[in-house]
Amino acid sequence: MAMPRLIMPEWLDTLPPSDPRARASRRDLRRINSIMGHAGFFGKELPRHFASRSPQNIVEIGSGDGEFLLTVARKLARRWPKLEVTIVDLQPAVTPDTLEAFQELGWIVDVVTADVFEWVSRCEAVDIIIANLFLHHFHDEPLAGLFQQLSSRTRVFGACEPRRSAAALAASRSLALIGCNDVTRHDGPVSVQAGFSGVELSALWPSSGGWQLDEAKHGFFSHGFVATRATRPA
């Protein structure tokens, strides 16, 4: 029997960015992202859709401390040496060191403190929007609304999320073995149970607009989704 999707509050979302437990959990997430290979997913997938030209801008929604996008930037900066970056989060925790690291790559960064749903409703069109470990926080109805907005504001949208499976759930319950703190140990299984499988994200994306959708298992524990269309929205 398929595991039903279950969305519950995650502790990290309730802690202020400066809380020591939150900082420790964000460090844990950087290690988990590395293990799950999410930066590699974007580093491989995004260039496939820009073979004839380089993008001008990229947005990460629900970006947290910006460290994940910085890891992606380090994989792409040689190919795309100058990019405008927007980091959007309700409680961004981006440090001066992270901003400086982006600047050293030649990427110009704007940090936006905003509710992602509200921001997307008024943002200008951009080449790429990505989300990493963000979509699983929301029920299907608001996600479908978010996707409707995103589809009119970008040429490429990519997401990497927890895969909802027995194997991923078992692994998430073993995070103590790699030294994760109590926040991460709580949030890991919660995020897996809220994750995705099959073509659940594709089913929420707008059916009109000439989009090509790619949705599949990534690695052992992750779920990838990329929506692409031939022309950038006006």
Side-chain angles (χ1 to χ4, degrees):
M1 181 180 295
M3 183 186 301
R5 189 163 182 247
L6 178 62
I7 300 170
M8 297 179 290
E10 296 185 20
W11 288 359
L12 184 58
D13 296 334
T14 68
L15 296 172
S18 59
D19 186 284
R21 292 164 69 221
R23 290 200 299 267
S25 185
R26 286 195 297 272
R27 288 194 297 270
D28 292 341
L29 287 175
R30 288 196 285 273
R31 283 188 293 156
I32 291 169
N33 269 309
S34 178
I35 292 169
M36 296 173 79
H38 286 197
F41 170 82
F42 288 110
K44 178 182 178 181
E45 287 294 322
L46 296 181
R48 289 178 52 224
H49 306 288
F50 291 89
S52 60
R53 70 172 182 91
S54 296
Q56 296 179 334
N57 35 44
I58 182 170
V59 174
E60 184 185 6
I61 55 175
S63 54
D65 60 9
E67 286 287 337
F68 176 75
L69 186 53
L70 176 60
T71 304
V72 175
R74 286 173 171 148
K75 294 181 178 295
L76 296 175
R78 183 169 294 182
R79 183 191 299 260
W80 299 337
K82 292 185 179 180
L83 219 59
E84 295 177 0
V85 178
T86 304
I87 291 172
V88 186
D89 199 282
L90 189 60
Q91 289 187 315
V94 184
T95 66
D97 287 346
T98 299
L99 293 176
E100 183 178 351
F102 273 113
Q103 291 166 2
E104 289 174 353
L105 294 173
W107 288 29
I108 303 167
V109 185
D110 182 25
V111 179
V112 176
T113 303
D115 176 271
V116 165
F117 289 78
E118 193 278 329
W119 181 85
V120 168
S121 71
R122 57 177 171 78
C123 74
E124 296 182 355
V126 296
D127 288 315
I128 303 169
I129 299 178
I130 68 169
N132 180 61
L133 301 180
F134 176 68
L135 302 181
H136 70 275
H137 290 89
F138 306 103
H139 291 278
D140 288 357
E141 184 175 350
L143 272 182
L146 178 65
F147 282 2
Q148 184 68 50
Q149 298 280 6
L150 290 170
S151 70
S152 67
R153 285 162 174 81
T154 192
R155 175 184 167 187
V156 175
F157 173 72
C160 215
E161 296 292 322
R163 185 162 184 85
R164 197 174 73 254
S165 68
L169 185 60
S172 71
R173 288 172 172 163
S174 304
L175 291 174
L177 297 177
I178 60 171
C180 292
N181 78 343
D182 62 320
V183 176
T184 311
R185 295 196 304 271
H186 171 273
D187 289 353
V190 169
S191 66
V192 169
Q193 292 174 90
F196 302 96
S197 64
V199 291
E200 291 172 340
L201 292 172
S202 298
L204 299 175
W205 193 264
S207 56
S208 61
W211 288 90
Q212 177 182 330
L213 306 180
D214 260 325
E215 183 171 3
K217 178 180 179 181
H218 171 67
F220 292 106
F221 309 122
S222 300
H223 192 77
F225 174 72
V226 180
T228 315
R229 67 174 165 188
T231 58
R232 178 177 171 178

